Amino acid sequence: MKINFNNISEQLAAYNADGSALVNVERDRRYTFSEFHLLTNRIVNMMTDRFGMEKGDFFFAVLNNDNLSLVHLPTIFKGPATAVYSNYRDSIAEKRRQIEHVGHCRIAFVETGDLEAHREIFAGRVDTVICMDKPEDPADRADDVLYFWDLVEEASDRTPQYTHEDREDVLLIRFTGGTTGDAKAVPYTYDNWLAMTDAAYALEDADWTRETITLHTAPLSHGSCSLLLPTYLSGGTTVTLNDTDLVRFCEVVQAERVTAAMAVPTMLYRLLQVPDLENYDLGSLRHIYYGAAPINPDKIPALVSQFGSIFTQVYGASETFAFALELPAADHRADSEAARRRLSSSGHAATNCEVELRDDDGRPVAPGEIGELWMRARGTVSGYFKNAVRTAGEFEDGFWRSGDLARMDEDGYYHIVDRKKDVIISGGFNVYPNDVEAAIASFPGVVMSVAVGIPDEEWGEAVHAEVMLVPGTPPPSVDALITHVKERIGRYKSPKSVTFVDMLPISVAGKLMRRTVRAKYRSPQSTITEETPS
């Protein structure tokens, strides 16, 4: 089907006119729907008129949230070229691999202060480099780069006219997979994005109106972007922050009267530790959507007491750009064992996604049995960009094989037990790190932990845990912590050793990096020491 998003943007601008569309906190930029429509027109016209970008051309963006929001939606829908987004926090080496994988980019958008760090990876791979801000000193302007606002001011604000094939034209490529291995390039069509929006509108707790004010602290190049189009099409406001400083998060929620935000469980746990949290007016928050991992049932009473019943867990993936599972706000209670069991799940299947559990041979497993989570929806992409081998291994008959192991309970709720690659085989038994980490998190003073398997002559693999405590908490006895875990989940699942750490490795997308912890103990020289935080 053909679609011209420029007409939709023009209609939104006419209907919402002076309504607030975008707020960039750090740069104090505020755009109404009319202003944002004209600005994104200029950006598209700049790329096509000045640089001749056409269908099949790529532009690379390695930007903070405020600047990325300008070349994100609706810009990518309005023009003919394909956007390639790198996570701003990715390493230089990773960004080089991303550009090399795509092949060649006509334009690269980069933060002005990051130009020198990226020169080498742009050389020979990018035609034109565009910095986002002019240096304060004109003498610091580079001769071989152009500046975003100079170009935009020269461009026409006429509404472009590009018609896309909504299920064929690739409008965006972004990278995923950094927590388990080398990132993979995922291509999105316009219809993939509409599927994501429909999934958001279909949530049990859906509440998308002109009054919606959505705060993005996580990178817009990743999961947080799933809330962009639902907010925009509803006439709501998108607010961006460039980092996840939680004090700043509270200040912005209070100042902008934010109604919705996306988080990961680790962020929620840390939010409870913000100094003088009770002094912030956070009462405007109506929805906090979180994902990446199930929430710990022991943390829920404090979270609900502090913020109210506003939490919705959503499970999805870059490859299936829609919410596959949801755990609505009504299920976020821990007042009974049955409620706690449900809370430890990732929710029930969303209404617009097929969810199946299958064994290693691709056969469905019975309820209560563990199988790999397969998902199929309109948001499921056709495969990985320029990676036929990975596509053949992970996509089948329209389904994406997630690599997550799960079981479905008698009420239809799915419990993610772990990644297939993360399962620890100790003494012939499968131990799922999620189970171990949940038990550790119920111990007083623990913020979060990572459980991994380490080589062991007797057990094959032994369970080892790195544990992060609430700042200022005296380190507990290792024996007491291990005994606590044994009582919760059994002896064979409990850690054989524990290390207390000040920080745990977290990916640029906010996920705990088990492979980073595991690698520390896989080298021949590695030894386990039961340390306490400094």
Side-chain angles (χ1 to χ4, degrees), residues 10-33:
E10 200 162 48
Q11 292 162 191
L12 283 166
Y15 180 60
N16 295 292
D18 296 330
S20 175
L22 178 65
V23 175
N24 297 143
V25 173
E26 283 86 356
R27 286 178 166 84
D28 194 27
R29 295 189 299 225
R30 296 172 183 269
Y31 300 102
T32 65
F33 272 81

Side-chain angles (χ1 to χ4, degrees), residues 505-518:
I506 295 176
S507 75
V508 292
K511 299 180 181 181
L512 285 169
M513 300 281 284
R514 284 201 192 111
R515 66 185 175 91
T516 301
V517 175
R518 185 165 50 238

Side-chain angles (χ1 to χ4, degrees), residues 256-409:
E256 302 293 339
R257 307 311 298 156
V258 169
T259 67
M262 179 167 274
V264 293
T266 52
M267 177 180 171
L268 298 180
Y269 305 154
R270 290 176 174 177
L271 193 57
L272 289 172
Q273 308 301 322
V274 169
D276 303 316
L277 182 62
E278 66 279 0
N279 293 336
Y280 295 98
D281 179 5
L282 307 179
S284 61
L285 278 171
R286 297 200 299 264
H287 303 281
I288 293 182
Y289 303 96
Y290 70 92
I295 205 158
N296 189 293
D298 292 288
K299 307 293 185 184
I300 280 297
L303 286 166
V304 172
S305 174
Q306 182 67 50
F307 298 103
S309 185
I310 64 171
F311 300 96
T312 298
Q313 182 179 166
V314 288
Y315 173 94
S318 299
E319 291 87 347
T320 298
F321 200 42
F323 299 133
L325 305 175
E326 62 171 305
L327 188 71
D331 284 330
H332 282 72
R333 56 189 184 87
D335 52 359
S336 68
E337 281 305 309
R340 288 176 62 87
R341 283 194 299 273
R342 180 165 290 184
L343 192 55
S344 68
S345 77
S346 292
H348 58 77
T351 57
N352 55 358
C353 186
E354 295 177 68
V355 178
E356 294 188 6
L357 296 179
R358 300 192 184 186
D359 63 19
D360 290 341
D361 296 319
R363 296 172 301 203
V365 303
E369 294 184 359
I370 292 174
E372 182 182 10
L373 198 63
W374 290 36
M375 296 174 286
R376 182 167 64 185
R378 270 179 56 212
T380 304
V381 300
S382 58
Y384 295 117
F385 181 71
K386 291 187 176 180
N387 197 332
V389 173
R390 293 293 290 266
T391 296
E394 297 187 27
F395 293 84
E396 184 175 328
D397 194 28
F399 280 93
W400 176 61
R401 304 175 60 166
S402 71
D404 281 343
L405 299 176
R407 61 178 177 81
M408 186 183 72
D409 66 24

